[in-house]
Amino acid sequence: MRLFSLIMPAILAIVFSIAVSAKELTVIPEIEMVDVEGGTFTMGLDESEAEHLYETPKHEVILSDFRIGKYEVTQELWEAFMGDNPSISKGDKLPVENISWYDIQVFIKKLNKLTGKKYRLPTEAEWEFAARGGNKTAGYSFIGSDNPDTTAWSSYNSWMQPHPVGTKMPNELGIYDMGGNVSEWVQDWYGNYSEKNQRNPHGAKKSDIGKIFRGGSWNVIPDYNNPGCRFVSNPNFKSPYIGFRLAE
């Protein structure tokens, strides 16, 4: 009888834990996406604008329609599917960070399995087109504005910490934080640009250098709030300055 009284609470605790976990997985935080009409744009920078040669040359890119996250993926959304929060700065509405490119692939696989969607990372070209405002572009010097303080968190205004998503002004397409909160991993392997026109490019097939990430972040100067800036790192790299947003 004593053994039974000890075992039953343990069994009930396990069952309760499983039930709670299952319940939590059915409550999916809202994922707001922005429809981006395809079009043609000039990708990259010329030598007078670029800090690095791998941001050149400018070239014409044609893109089909796609959808991209209105906000960077939050810690709340990440934890709902992954069960943990690896971020250095904690907060449900803060962008998730301190995650590798490969970590994101695990998250997306779980997300798609539960939702039945086909979420993915944006390609580098999709990211830049959206950052430039797509077909609604106003030709700003920075992402979404000629004044980067209005649309992005940088080392000049962030108090050296990330902020809840969507607290600055959006760009022309209604997308938030592309200029700076955390930088964002994209799908592509690093590859040099070509002057040739491209249609729906997906980057290099492989690279010894790494994967591309885009956009400024809360710890760097506003100069990196430029839609043509490119960054690259090993896909296993984790940083409190890099997160991501979804695409479809």
Side-chain angles (χ1 to χ4, degrees):
M1 188 67 179
R2 179 176 176 80
L3 181 61
F4 178 80
S5 65
L6 291 173
I7 292 174
M8 281 307 295
I11 294 174
L12 289 172
I14 293 170
V15 171
F16 178 75
S17 176
I18 293 171
V20 169
S21 297
K23 183 179 179 181
E24 287 175 349
L25 286 176
T26 62
V27 180
I28 302 170
E30 184 179 9
I31 303 173
E32 295 188 61
M33 305 294 286
V34 173
D35 293 318
V36 182
E37 180 186 19
T40 302
F41 78 109
T42 301
M43 185 173 180
L45 303 171
D46 61 36
E47 290 189 19
S48 65
E49 301 171 307
E51 183 173 346
H52 307 287
L53 285 178
Y54 58 72
E55 295 165 343
T56 68
K58 287 185 173 180
H59 54 288
E60 187 175 280
V61 172
I62 302 171
L63 290 177
S64 302
D65 298 350
F66 63 97
R67 304 180 79 214
I68 193 166
K70 186 175 184 178
Y71 306 105
E72 294 168 328
V73 170
T74 63
Q75 295 174 29
E76 177 184 35
L77 182 60
W78 180 275
E79 193 165 359
F81 289 90
M82 302 298 281
D84 65 354
N85 183 0
S87 305
I88 303 300
S89 299
K90 295 289 196 291
D92 283 352
K93 301 303 181 183
L94 294 179
V96 67
E97 28 86 354
N98 196 38
I99 47 173
S100 73
W101 186 92
Y102 288 120
D103 292 336
I104 295 168
Q105 304 312 303
V106 176
F107 168 82
I108 290 175
K109 185 176 180 179
K110 290 185 177 183
L111 178 64
N112 288 342
K113 184 176 180 179
L114 189 61
T115 62
K117 301 281 190 176
K118 294 183 179 179
Y119 292 114
R120 56 179 174 82
L121 285 174
T123 66
E124 184 176 17
E126 288 172 339
W127 193 97
E128 184 170 328
F129 184 59
R132 290 183 181 277
N135 295 325
K136 296 181 180 180
T137 182
Y140 293 127
S141 301
F142 298 96
I143 295 174
S145 176
D146 285 327
N147 177 3
D149 279 350
T150 64
T151 56
W153 296 107
S154 71
S155 61
Y156 285 15
N157 64 8
S158 69
W159 306 290
M160 296 308 287
Q161 63 187 16
H163 292 263
V165 300
T167 49
K168 286 288 186 178
M169 295 294 292
N171 76 348
E172 300 96 311
L173 291 174
I175 305 170
Y176 292 84
D177 296 316
M178 296 194 86
N181 198 2
V182 290
S183 297
E184 302 171 14
W185 288 110
V186 297
Q187 184 63 34
D188 302 33
W189 288 102
Y190 168 81
N192 289 324
Y193 285 159
S194 167
E195 291 182 348
K196 295 180 180 179
N197 296 350
Q198 295 180 300
R199 181 182 292 271
N200 295 321
H202 286 80
K205 291 183 178 180
K206 191 69 177 176
S207 171
D208 292 332
I209 299 176
K211 288 283 186 178
I212 295 290
F213 62 97
R214 287 299 207 105
S217 67
W218 56 265
N219 71 312
V220 298
I221 59 176
D223 299 55
Y224 294 107
N225 178 4
N226 180 315
C229 285
R230 310 175 79 195
F231 311 96
V232 60
S233 188
N234 186 295
N236 285 305
F237 179 64
K238 300 181 182 184
S239 166
Y241 317 126
I242 308 176
F244 71 107
R245 76 178 65 231
L246 295 167
E248 281 185 286

